[in-house]
Amino acid sequence: MSDVTDPWLVVGLGNPGPEYTANRHNVGFMVADLLAERIGGKFKRAQKAQAQVLEGRIGPPGPANRRVILAKPQSYMNLSGGPVTALRDFYKVPTDHVVAIHDELDIDFGALRLKLGGGDNGHNGLKSMTKSMGPEYHRVRFGIGRPPGRMQVADFVLKDFSSTERKELAYLVDRAADAVESLLADGLERAQGAYNS
C-alpha cells in the first residue's frame, strides 16, 4: 500500500514531434507542459526511459506538498507503457501513485473525469500502460468528444483542435492542471467532487 511520502509519477500522454503538437491526442502533453511551467522547471531527457522528465514538488507548502516526477513519454502513444513502467520502477513509485493525463472520446469537449483503475476504452496509450503494469493507476480524462459525421476516430484524434475549441483550450488545460494538483494534494474523492463534470 502506498504511503503519503511516496512520490507521484504524473504522465502526460501524447505523440512526440512537432507535427503532433496541437493534436487532440496530445492534450496530455499540453497539461504536462503547463504543470512544468507551474513547477518552474524544464523537461530533460530521462536516463532510464524513453521519456522527458522533470522532478519537482506540487501543491501548497506543508503536508499537502507532494514530490512529483512529471513525464512525457517519447515513444509513440501506443507504446507508452514501456517508458512509464521504466520510470515507475526507477523512481520506486507505487502504481496507485501513477497518473495518466489523456484525451477521452466518450466525454464532451472540455469536460474532465478523474478515476482510479478501469478499462482503456479503446485508448492505445492506456492499453499499453495497462498491459505493462495493470489497471490500478489514476486517470485524468480530458474530454474531446466524438468525431463528426463518418470521420474515423484515428483521423479525429490526430487532427488539431478546431478554431472554436482553441478559444477555450487554454482555460480547459489550466483546469485540468488544477485537477491534477488537487488529486495529489486532496485525494481522489475531493478532486472528483471539485472537477468531475
Side-chain angles (χ1 to χ4, degrees):
M1 194 59 200
S2 54
D3 183 83
V4 73
T5 58
D6 285 324
W8 286 81
L9 173 60
V10 175
V11 181
L13 294 182
N15 285 308
E19 67 273 35
Y20 299 107
T21 302
N23 287 180
R24 291 181 176 93
H25 224 16
N26 270 41
V27 75
F29 274 15
M30 296 174 198
V31 177
D33 285 338
L34 180 57
L35 286 165
E37 219 175 277
R38 290 181 180 187
I39 289 171
K42 292 214 181 314
F43 281 103
K44 295 183 175 72
R45 182 181 292 276
Q47 299 298 311
K48 304 290 179 189
Q50 196 181 354
Q52 291 184 344
V53 293
L54 168 62
E55 293 180 62
R57 301 194 80 84
I58 279 182
N65 192 263
R66 303 282 180 252
R67 181 175 163 232
V68 67
I69 298 97
L70 201 53
K72 296 192 296 183
Q74 298 297 293
S75 59
Y76 284 92
M77 178 71 88
N78 59 350
L79 300 171
S80 301
V84 175
T85 304
L87 291 170
R88 179 200 67 171
D89 295 348
F90 178 70
Y91 288 103
K92 300 181 172 51
V93 178
T95 302
D96 67 353
H97 272 214
V98 176
V99 181
I101 310 163
H102 63 93
D103 57 305
E104 178 62 67
L105 288 159
D106 286 337
I107 303 175
D108 291 339
F109 170 69
L112 289 176
R113 301 267 170 77
L114 285 74
K115 69 174 193 170
L116 173 62
D120 56 55
N121 213 14
H123 191 287
N124 289 331
L126 298 182
K127 199 175 285 182
S128 176
M129 283 179 62
T130 297
K131 190 176 174 192
S132 286
M133 60 185 192
E136 288 306 305
Y137 54 91
H138 286 85
R139 297 101 193 273
V140 174
R141 304 156 73 204
F142 187 109
I144 60 168
R146 302 293 305 179
R150 293 167 180 252
M151 188 189 284
Q152 294 295 310
V153 164
D155 295 333
F156 180 68
V157 299
L158 293 176
K159 280 208 178 341
D160 291 359
F161 285 100
S162 71
S163 55
T164 309
E165 289 169 338
R166 282 199 296 272
K167 287 178 184 142
E168 291 182 83
L169 192 59
Y171 164 76
L172 296 168
V173 166
D174 194 63
R175 190 166 179 271
D178 290 347
V180 172
E181 292 188 356
S182 173
L183 171 62
L184 271 54
D186 308 323
L188 180 61
E189 277 184 39
R190 282 181 66 185
Q192 284 174 324
Y195 292 96
N196 276 17
S197 50

